[in-house]
Amino acid sequence: MERARSTSAPPLVSRTTAIDAPPFTAAFDALSAPRTTWSAPDDALVLGSGAAATLTASGPERFAEIRTAAADLFDAGDVHAGTEAARPRIFGGFAFHEGACDGDPWEPFPEARFALPRVQLTFADNGTWLTVNAAGPDAAVEAVEDRLAEEAERLAALDGGDPGAPPRPGITETRRTTGREAWRGSVEAAVDRIRGGELRKVVLAQALEADLASEFPRAATLERLAGKYADCHRYCFEPDEGGSAFFGATPERLVSLRGRTVETDALAGTTGRGETPAEDEWLAQELLEDAKNVHEHRLVADTVRDQLEPFAASVSAGERRVRRLATVQHLHTPITAELSDDRHVLELVEALHPTPAVGGLPPDRALETIHETEPFDRGWYAAPVGWIDAAGNGAFAVAIRSAVATPRQATLFAGVGLVADSDPDREWDEVQLKYRPILDELEAGDGSVGVADD
């Protein structure tokens, strides 16, 4: 088992200053890789550049090892943040399970990787903040303050003009990892296991490879996702300087922790959007009353509450409702808890992952079924991604509606939850709906190759 390691050991020095907000696209392109972006409806937009410290781990203890390495990094910190939003945070994610990053396109991604950005740009409600971090041999106060002034000057000089966003790249060819007949057989086999009592639920996914007609425009794509999915968690992680990026816009929060207050969600059960307001409302009402979707959702909500109870003084769930996104509608139940003791956010991440919304029940049998069925590695797909601060607070999302991209290729992922009355053809159609948030940002709309419904 690989031990968590830091490529730059503590001590940590961090300094922050307020700046005028530069254009996001210009700042993204001007900052050096590896870059990180993170944004959520209740959080600031953060753009990180470089790595003052990198923490990696693998194997079943990867959550605990990252937690320990993060505490070691932050414990020696000399931090002048200026505002809470701009405090130094480490950003990253985990593999769905051990060994999930062994194949294409996941080779650049460790099973756990978190980075403290050298440069952190925070677009918050109370202004825009530039933070410069250093750890190890570079952690000298004067050097960090000099770099802060240099970076502020460089960002201030970025062109504020709007030359127009780069167009979507277009797709020249697509390849499915699972054809329709193979999918039908896999779903029927899983449903037989559920009806036989071996499983209660399992989530099966597909992957779609797309060759791009022109270079993938990362910053422009992230801005378009922000405009279309403002109420989702949006993220982009570059694991190194080699050109890969894992990005997406997920509606599913895994957990957020502030002090002893926990917020999470049960999100399961899906239908499409209507072409008219009346059709949209009809589909939403049908979803609320559909026995298959309600059963699937209840399994997720009950399990999340059960997983939180060992940590909590109290757990409460809101009313089940419909959450509308640009291409789909989901059943959604917000869940909150008050912890009985102080906890690190990664303790809760480890306890909750994988939720039945992306794994299944019972978890071990569901994981075996996923291993036996899916002809690709999940990597970071459907796994926890997010951030941690020095207090052990943090926020993590479930990395769905996602893809791995290189300059001229992207691999998209989407999955569906199967229960006893799941229909293979309906589940196939649902997967195609879940590809749309990313696929819409790749297709040029001017003759770009579509995805064959094979």
Side-chain angles (χ1 to χ4, degrees), residues 4 28 32 44 53 71 76 104 180 185-186 191 243 262 289 310-311 316 348 351 367 401 410 424 431:
F28 185 97
S32 60
D104 287 338
R180 189 152 192 159
S186 296
V191 168
V262 174
E289 298 171 357
F311 303 93
S316 61
L348 303 176
L367 187 57
R401 313 298 144 81
V431 170

Side-chain angles (χ1 to χ4, degrees), residues 320-373:
R320 184 168 65 242
R321 63 194 70 173
V322 172
R323 184 172 178 189
R324 288 185 169 97
L325 303 173
T327 57
V328 295
Q329 305 182 73
H330 293 296
L331 292 178
H332 170 231
T333 298
I335 299 171
T336 60
E338 289 296 322
L339 301 181
S340 54
D341 298 292
D342 292 336
R343 296 284 186 170
H344 193 284
V345 67
L346 287 187
E347 295 181 82
L348 303 176
V349 169
E350 184 174 11
L352 290 169
H353 173 74
T355 72
V358 292
L361 291 170
D364 55 346
R365 297 299 297 146
L367 187 57
E368 288 177 14
T369 303
I370 291 168
H371 275 310
E372 294 168 3
T373 305

Side-chain angles (χ1 to χ4, degrees), residues 105-106 109 208 216 235 237 245-249 381 399-405 410-413 438-439 442:
W106 296 107
F109 292 81
L208 178 70
F216 176 61
Y235 53 90
F237 298 96
F246 179 57
F247 72 100
Y381 162 67
I400 57 175
R401 313 298 144 81
S402 57
V404 176
T411 304
L412 291 69
F413 302 90
I438 304 302
L439 204 58
L442 302 179

Side-chain angles (χ1 to χ4, degrees), residues 181-337:
E181 287 307 313
W183 173 257
R184 185 175 287 113
S186 296
V187 172
E188 289 172 350
V191 168
D192 285 344
R193 291 186 180 189
I194 294 168
R195 291 174 178 170
E198 184 179 349
L199 292 167
R200 298 175 66 195
K201 175 188 176 180
V202 65
V203 176
L204 294 183
Q206 298 179 20
L208 178 70
E209 297 176 351
D211 295 335
L212 306 181
S214 60
E215 188 162 317
F216 176 61
R218 295 186 185 185
T221 299
L222 294 172
E223 283 211 300
R224 283 192 282 258
L225 287 173
K228 197 170 183 179
Y229 297 95
D231 58 346
C232 289
H233 289 68
R234 302 177 304 280
Y235 53 90
C236 180
F237 298 96
E238 296 176 339
D240 53 32
E241 299 178 13
S244 293
F246 179 57
F247 72 100
T250 175
E252 187 171 354
R253 172 173 49 189
L254 179 65
V255 64
S256 68
L257 174 65
R258 184 181 179 91
R260 293 189 178 182
T261 300
V262 174
E263 296 182 351
T264 183
D265 298 306
L267 195 78
T270 305
T271 191
R273 295 298 306 269
E275 295 185 2
T276 66
E279 183 184 10
D280 208 41
E281 188 60 36
W282 181 83
L283 287 169
Q285 192 61 38
E286 182 187 49
L287 180 63
L288 282 168
E289 298 171 357
D290 181 74
K292 179 263 181 187
N293 280 294
V294 169
H295 171 61
E296 179 187 351
H297 182 85
R298 186 177 293 117
L299 287 176
V300 174
D302 290 347
T303 302
V304 170
R305 285 197 295 265
D306 290 344
Q307 290 167 325
L308 283 175
E309 281 183 353
F311 303 93
S314 63
V315 180
S316 61
E319 183 179 354
R320 184 168 65 242
R321 63 194 70 173
V322 172
R323 184 172 178 189
R324 288 185 169 97
L325 303 173
T327 57
V328 295
Q329 305 182 73
H330 293 296
L331 292 178
H332 170 231
T333 298
I335 299 171
T336 60

Side-chain angles (χ1 to χ4, degrees), residues 84-95:
E84 184 183 15
R87 67 199 183 281
R89 296 183 256 178
I90 60 171
F91 297 85
F94 297 90

Side-chain angles (χ1 to χ4, degrees), residues 11-101:
L12 163 68
V13 175
S14 180
R15 294 293 184 269
T16 298
T17 188
I19 63 171
D20 292 332
F24 173 83
T25 298
F28 185 97
D29 291 338
L31 293 173
S32 60
R35 290 163 297 193
T36 296
T37 65
W38 172 266
S39 183
D42 55 354
D43 202 352
L45 166 62
V46 179
L47 170 57
S49 167
T54 304
L55 314 178
T56 64
S58 63
E61 299 300 319
R62 62 195 185 279
F63 297 96
E65 291 182 3
I66 292 294
R67 184 170 74 243
T68 299
D72 291 344
L73 175 67
F74 284 125
D75 280 350
D78 177 2
V79 176
H80 294 182
T83 180
E84 184 183 15
R87 67 199 183 281
R89 296 183 256 178
I90 60 171
F91 297 85
F94 297 90
F96 187 81
H97 57 77
E98 302 93 83
C101 295

